[in-house]
Amino acid sequence: MRKQVATASSLLVNGLRALFLVLCCLMIATLIYTILIDGLPFRWEILTPWMAATLVDFYINVVPIAVWVSYKESSLIIATLWVIMLICFGSITTSGYLFIQFLKLSPQESLENPIYHVLLHQMSKNDTKTKGKHSSVVISRILFSVLGCLMLGTLIYTLLTNGSPFRKELLTPWITATLIDFYINVVGLSVWVAYKESNWISAVCWIVLLICFGSITTCAYIVKELFKLAWQDPLYLILITEDDRAENTYESIE
């Protein structure tokens, strides 16, 4: 049984490495192709109402990824560089960073709960006690609630002022590239959701909602998970499942 679990974990790690490497290459190719056929994106005529809404959606999804990257990196300078690259290059950075994190797993980590080891910083795994005096759980609840409402308002406003997005003339080369960029980030978030959800039906439902409603779903899911934490809990606990929290050496301080 243990051998079967180890084999499954190894296949999962290799599959995710291959997936994120392919997605990174796909987005690089998409970016180069779009520049060649439609020029650089820094032109006002490209910024249609639905393009603007897509960019808002895209960058709200970048926020939780950037927060996680900042948590993972020990050096402030390195973390800042990765966040700048996330802002500038989007899912190329996301998929590249995830590929590197899965590549850095030790053989033992690859066989034992690899996603847990990718998500957590090494210090968090080794902490036996974590004081919650400086917890930002409440601030994060407010932040992602506001971001979710911002995207909902943007969606409603754009629908009312510019009509349905399902029109052929809206599918310009750059909005197509932006959508590919957006959905590659959604793949990364979906892997996390699939890991977090113990029931595959609920995982599939959340992933479908992610695909359909983008960052509105991302924010709703994060807020839902944040309300499972006490205000004094360290924020990084949102990354892992309740079972992994129980196995972790973390102890809540009353």
Side-chain angles (χ1 to χ4, degrees):
M1 181 66 180
R2 185 175 295 180
K3 187 176 180 180
Q4 290 176 339
V5 171
T7 302
S9 294
S10 180
L11 287 171
L12 175 65
V13 170
N14 289 329
L16 289 173
R17 285 172 182 166
L19 172 66
F20 289 116
L21 180 60
V22 168
L23 290 176
C24 184
C25 294
L26 171 64
M27 191 57 223
I28 291 171
T30 301
L31 181 62
I32 294 169
Y33 175 76
T34 310
I35 290 172
L36 290 174
I37 66 166
D38 200 45
L40 292 170
F42 311 111
R43 310 193 308 271
W44 280 112
E45 63 267 24
I46 290 175
L47 201 63
T48 61
W50 276 111
M51 181 61 165
T54 303
L55 287 171
V56 173
D57 206 7
F58 174 84
Y59 280 110
I60 290 175
N61 261 356
V62 165
V63 172
I65 299 170
V67 171
W68 172 64
V69 168
S70 300
Y71 155 76
K72 280 284 289 183
E73 295 299 320
S74 302
S75 166
L76 178 61
I77 295 172
I78 299 299
T80 303
L81 288 173
W82 276 112
V83 171
I84 291 170
M85 287 174 67
L86 272 170
I87 294 167
C88 296
F89 300 107
S91 65
I92 294 174
T93 306
T94 303
S95 49
Y97 188 82
L98 284 166
F99 171 72
I100 292 168
Q101 296 309 306
F102 278 103
L103 204 61
K104 287 166 67 175
L105 289 175
S106 68
Q108 183 178 352
E109 289 172 339
S110 296
L111 298 176
E112 297 176 1
N113 206 346
I115 296 179
Y116 166 86
H117 290 292
V118 163
L119 287 170
L120 285 190
H121 189 282
Q122 191 60 44
M123 286 181 64
S124 299
K125 301 174 201 173
N126 297 330
D127 280 348
T128 55
K129 292 183 180 180
T130 304
K131 294 182 179 180
K133 292 180 181 178
H134 306 292
S135 172
S136 51
V137 170
V138 175
I139 294 171
S140 298
R141 289 173 186 168
I142 296 168
L143 171 64
F144 286 102
S145 296
V146 169
L147 289 175
C149 291
L150 170 63
M151 188 57 224
L152 181 61
T154 300
L155 179 62
I156 293 170
Y157 174 80
T158 312
L159 281 169
L160 291 175
T161 58
N162 200 248
S164 170
F166 305 110
R167 307 197 309 270
K168 189 177 179 180
E169 64 269 20
L170 293 177
L171 207 61
T172 62
W174 272 111
I175 201 164
T176 302
T178 304
L179 286 170
I180 293 170
D181 207 7
F182 174 83
Y183 281 110
I184 290 175
N185 275 348
V186 166
V187 171
L189 291 167
S190 296
V191 170
W192 176 59
V193 170
Y195 156 77
K196 285 280 288 181
E197 293 297 310
S198 55
N199 186 317
W200 70 268
I201 296 174
S202 62
V204 169
C205 289
W206 277 108
I207 290 168
V208 170
L209 287 170
L210 270 172
I211 293 167
C212 296
F213 299 105
S215 64
I216 296 172
T217 304
T218 303
C219 293
Y221 188 81
I222 291 172
V223 171
K224 174 183 79 76
E225 292 301 306
L226 284 167
F227 272 102
K228 292 181 180 179
L229 301 179
W231 68 268
Q232 73 271 27
D233 285 336
L235 189 58
Y236 72 79
L237 288 184
I238 191 180
L239 293 170
I240 57 177
T241 65
E242 292 180 13
D243 289 342
D244 284 339
R245 289 176 207 164
E247 292 175 9
N248 195 19
T249 52
Y250 167 80
E251 295 177 11
S252 181
I253 305 300
E254 299 294 336

